[in-house]
Amino acid sequence: MLLLIALLAAAPQASTATPNALVDTIYRHYRSGGGGMGDDRVLALLSPTTRALYDRALARDSEEVVIEADPFCDCQDFADIRVEAVRIAPVRAGRTTASVRIVDKEMDDGPRTIAIKLIQTPQGWRVEDVSAAGGAALLSQIKPTQPTPTRRRR
């Protein structure tokens, strides 16, 4: 019995043990009643660097990070997203990209393809960046903008 409890306690780590498992874990939070990108369980799946940038952007804007659309679904609202297909590129140096084809079963607005850059960390696989075909990548929306250099007058 104690062994079963210990195994169940270790289960969340298993949900990020492989790139496929991570993608599965992400999209569980996009079904009916899920919170999507605003869900702390989804934010916990960001790489430490990406999460730090997200948190800094949130602190900078004080209210909320302004993201045009939820990058995991390329949408502002969703009802019940389902994954139709996942292709994982070969892993190289602890990095890979997942190409995920999704459809919102209730919105009926056709399938979308999402590219998720993954990185392997000591805590398992995490999301380094995510973007929809033709959409802005998450990192481009949360990285601080560099001030334009000013020219000195002579």
Side-chain angles (χ1 to χ4, degrees):
M1 183 67 148
L2 288 176
L3 178 60
L4 179 60
I5 292 170
L7 288 173
L8 289 175
Q13 178 66 18
S15 64
T16 63
T18 67
N20 276 315
L22 177 59
V23 169
D24 232 25
T25 299
I26 291 166
Y27 284 101
R28 262 188 247 137
H29 302 290
Y30 284 83
R31 296 195 179 121
S32 282
M37 182 70 182
D39 190 317
D40 285 336
R41 294 169 296 183
V42 175
L43 292 174
L45 300 173
L46 298 177
S47 73
T49 302
T50 302
R51 180 62 193 259
L53 287 167
Y54 182 89
D55 289 344
R56 265 187 248 140
L58 185 61
R60 219 179 23 252
D61 294 339
S62 72
E63 291 286 319
E64 67 179 63
V65 176
V66 179
I67 297 175
E68 295 299 318
D70 185 318
F72 289 104
C73 63
D74 190 30
C75 62
Q76 292 182 341
D77 298 308
F78 63 91
D80 192 18
I81 290 180
R82 301 296 173 168
V83 173
E84 288 190 334
V86 177
R87 281 194 341 249
I88 307 288
V91 175
R92 289 197 167 80
R95 295 174 187 270
T96 189
T97 300
S99 176
V100 184
R101 184 178 160 105
I102 60 169
V103 66
D104 190 325
K105 295 291 188 184
E106 293 183 27
M107 299 293 250
D108 195 33
D109 55 354
R112 296 181 191 97
T113 300
I114 310 295
I116 306 173
K117 292 183 181 180
L118 307 173
I119 186 169
Q120 194 169 28
T121 71
Q123 296 77 33
W125 285 91
R126 294 291 186 265
V127 174
E128 188 170 43
D129 201 4
V130 56
S131 62
L138 175 62
L139 283 179
S140 71
Q141 297 180 69
I142 62 174
K143 275 189 175 175
T145 56
Q146 298 297 320
T148 306
T150 57
R151 300 177 102 185
R152 288 187 178 180
R153 291 186 192 200
R154 293 184 183 212

